[in-house]
């Protein structure tokens, strides 16, 4: 039986534009060829624009998690104290990873759904004397997008190296790598950058390069210095996902063609539309009811309606994939991603599908309110 193509309204992987899919179908390039060097150099140039940086952006064949591990093993020495800020699943992942790699992990923990504050960060850094801090820009498990600039300001003030998880934020919401003074920014191909999974990117500051020269964590595949030397010649130390690099160049061309500001405005408008729709359906929001929540919208099903069953019904009957929840919220929480190649029509269709399945599950509501409210909110947000 042929598989029905799914619309991916998840916070990754996301659907990609047809131009990007076509690029994937090009003949495979050899990574030691001039043809690849040309494409790879262009990919790096475009990545620098998206990161808003003048620095080297390393291109790793990996998921985002691998790229985050590369940051730890290049910057930290065994037993070194790191401060890992957590307010959801990904912050907790980096705490576990650093502990597994032999770091002395000092956690700054918030409840899931919390938002880190500069004052808490300053106090935790003073108390722990950590050399390095991990920050999650967009905490994809909850929909919270941190106000990163003042957090990075605290790191600069206390001369602490920052590693920022921007996996679900880069390209969706503003992030000024250089202007905000982030040392290391990590992202991956499969979220707002409209490219299939397989590549991850790391922007590295001069200060971070200096630290990497003296850090003693063992590394080989993840060795940034080896990667930098190869990138300078238009190649990589090991075989990269060459076809995904070709697709990336196409996708970043689309993003930059309209301009990053347009991308941020679109994500903000989609966030507004999705929240308006969810509220019009009468559901409780889980993600913040604010324009910061431009990456995804989390909501709770009505009492007695199983969110897992809702998600599967959307997948099987509407060909729409959304994301689920975690822990004790697994039976109530669902998350609609609206990053990357997502249109207001996709969001409206998703809202209507949700209403249809809620009615099917016994909820009393009027189908069509969600999409109508979403379209109106989007229209107001994009009116010139
Ligand atoms: C998706 C995501 C990651 C990385 O996940 P991978 O599956 O390893 O690519 C990391 N952090 C955040 C916030 C994410 O949303």
């Amino acid at each position: 039986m042929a598989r029905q193509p799914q619309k991916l309204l998840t916070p990754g992987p996301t659907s990609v534009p047809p131009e990007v899919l076509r690029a994937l179908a090009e003949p495979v390039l050899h990574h030691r060829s001039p043809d690849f060097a040309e494409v790879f150099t262009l990919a790096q140039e475009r990545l620098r624009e998206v990161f808003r940086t003048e620095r080297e952006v390393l291109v790793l064949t990996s998921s985002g998690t691998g790229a985050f591990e590369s940051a730890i093993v290049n910057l930290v020495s065994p037993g070194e104290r790191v401060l890992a800020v957590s307010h959801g699943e990904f912050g907790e992942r980096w705490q576990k990873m650093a502990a597994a790699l032999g770091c002395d992990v000092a956690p700054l923990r918030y409840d899931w759904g919390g938002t880190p504050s500069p004052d808490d960060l300053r106090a935790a850094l003073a108390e722990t004397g950590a050399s390095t801090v991990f920050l999650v820009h967009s905490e994809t498990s909850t929909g919270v997008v941190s106000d990163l600039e003042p957090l990075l300001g605290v790191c600069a003030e206390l001369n602490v190296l920052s590693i920022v998880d921007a996996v679900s934020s880069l390209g969706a919401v503003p992030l000024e790598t250089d202007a905000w003074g982030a040392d290391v920014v990590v992202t991956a191909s499969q979220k707002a950058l409209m490219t299939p999974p397989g590549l991850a990117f790391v922007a590295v500051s001069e200060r971070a390069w200096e630290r990497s020269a003296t850090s003693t964590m063992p590394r080989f595949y993840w060795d940034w210095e080896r990667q930098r030397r190869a990138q300078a010649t238009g190649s990589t130390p090991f075989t990269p996902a060459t076809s995904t690099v070709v697709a990336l160049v196409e996708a970043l061309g689309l993003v930059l063609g309209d301009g990053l500001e347009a991308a941020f405005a679109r994500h903000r408008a989609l966030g507004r539309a999705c929240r308006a729709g969810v509220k019009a359906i009468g559901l409780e929001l889980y993600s913040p009811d604010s324009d910061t929540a431009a990456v995804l919208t989390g909501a709770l099903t009505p009492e007695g309606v199983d969110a897992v069953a809702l998600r599967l019904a959307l997948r099987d009957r509407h060909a729409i994939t959304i994301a689920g929840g975690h822990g004790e919220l697994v039976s109530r929480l669902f998350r609609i991603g609206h990053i990357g190649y997502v249109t207001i029509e996709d969001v409206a269709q998703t809202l209507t599908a949700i209403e249809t399945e809620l009615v099917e599950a016994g909820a009393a509501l009027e189908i069509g309110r969600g999409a109508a409210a979403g379209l109106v909110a989007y229209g107001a947000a994009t009116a010139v």
Side-chain angles (χ1 to χ4, degrees), residues 65 96 105 148 193 195 206 240 256 274 282 294 313 338 361-362:
T65 303
K96 287 187 201 126
V105 183
L148 195 57
L193 301 183
T195 304
E206 218 29 67
L256 295 168
C274 202
H338 29 75

Side-chain angles (χ1 to χ4, degrees), residues 13-335:
T14 60
S15 294
V16 308
E19 297 92 318
V20 177
L21 288 177
R22 275 199 294 278
L24 276 177
E26 304 249 326
V28 173
L29 293 177
H30 193 282
H31 66 295
R32 305 279 180 234
S33 69
D35 288 348
F36 181 71
E38 193 180 313
V39 173
F40 192 46
T41 303
L42 187 55
Q44 290 168 63
E45 274 168 29
R46 290 185 178 173
L47 282 168
R48 279 196 287 273
E49 283 188 56
V50 173
F51 274 80
R52 298 242 161 109
T53 186
E54 301 288 319
R55 309 165 184 169
E56 187 95 21
V57 178
L58 302 177
V59 179
L60 305 174
T61 295
S62 160
S63 85
T65 303
F68 205 92
E69 180 157 327
S70 84
I72 297 178
V73 300
N74 280 276
L75 296 173
V76 181
S77 297
E80 191 168 338
R81 176 162 289 188
V82 300
L83 182 76
V85 182
S86 69
H87 46 119
E89 179 182 338
F90 290 96
E92 291 183 3
R93 180 181 294 181
W94 310 140
Q95 287 171 354
K96 287 187 201 126
M97 177 185 272
L101 291 167
C103 304
D104 175 8
V105 183
L108 170 54
R109 269 202 190 96
Y110 292 86
D111 287 341
W112 285 41
T115 306
S117 89
D119 288 343
D120 293 347
L121 179 61
R122 189 180 290 104
L125 285 172
E127 190 185 321
T128 59
S131 64
T132 311
V133 63
F134 305 164
L135 297 167
V136 178
H137 187 200
S138 161
E139 181 41 87
T140 316
S141 57
T142 66
V144 168
V145 176
S146 301
D147 188 4
L148 195 57
E149 189 178 6
L151 296 170
L152 291 168
V154 170
C155 298
E157 180 189 313
L158 300 178
N159 198 26
V160 169
L161 207 74
S162 54
I163 305 178
V164 178
D165 171 353
V167 178
S168 68
S169 58
L170 195 86
V173 297
L175 200 179
E176 300 283 342
T177 299
D178 288 0
W180 295 354
D183 285 298
V184 173
V185 176
V186 176
T187 196
S189 55
Q190 78 274 18
K191 306 237 168 147
L193 301 183
M194 308 197 302
T195 304
L199 294 174
F201 317 111
V202 191
V204 184
S205 72
E206 218 29 67
R207 218 153 67 107
W209 281 113
E210 283 162 22
R211 170 79 78 80
S212 76
T214 58
S215 71
T216 58
M217 193 82 81
R219 53 201 187 240
F220 190 89
Y221 183 77
W222 295 132
D223 186 6
W224 283 354
E225 189 50 46
R226 185 186 275 118
Q227 180 76 26
R228 169 153 79 166
R229 279 199 306 272
Q231 285 195 191
T233 70
S235 190
T236 52
F238 314 109
T239 314
T242 52
S243 295
T244 313
V245 173
V246 174
L248 175 75
V249 165
E250 191 65 39
L252 297 184
L254 295 173
V255 171
L256 295 168
D258 292 334
L260 277 176
E261 294 306 330
F264 302 151
R266 188 179 76 247
H267 286 96
R268 204 161 45 237
L270 288 172
R272 274 191 203 175
C274 202
R275 288 192 298 282
V278 159
K279 287 192 276 187
I281 298 173
L283 301 175
E284 187 185 334
L285 275 175
Y286 173 75
S287 52
D289 191 1
S290 115
D291 273 343
T292 61
V295 170
L296 66 97
T297 301
L300 303 178
T301 55
E303 201 80 56
V305 177
D306 181 33
V308 176
L310 171 68
R311 205 151 43 78
L312 297 183
L314 249 59
R315 183 191 70 190
D316 296 338
R317 290 208 276 265
H318 304 266
I320 295 171
T321 299
I322 61 171
H326 46 75
E328 57 202 42
L329 284 177
V330 78
S331 63
R332 296 283 307 281
L333 174 61
F334 63 90
R335 292 171 300 140

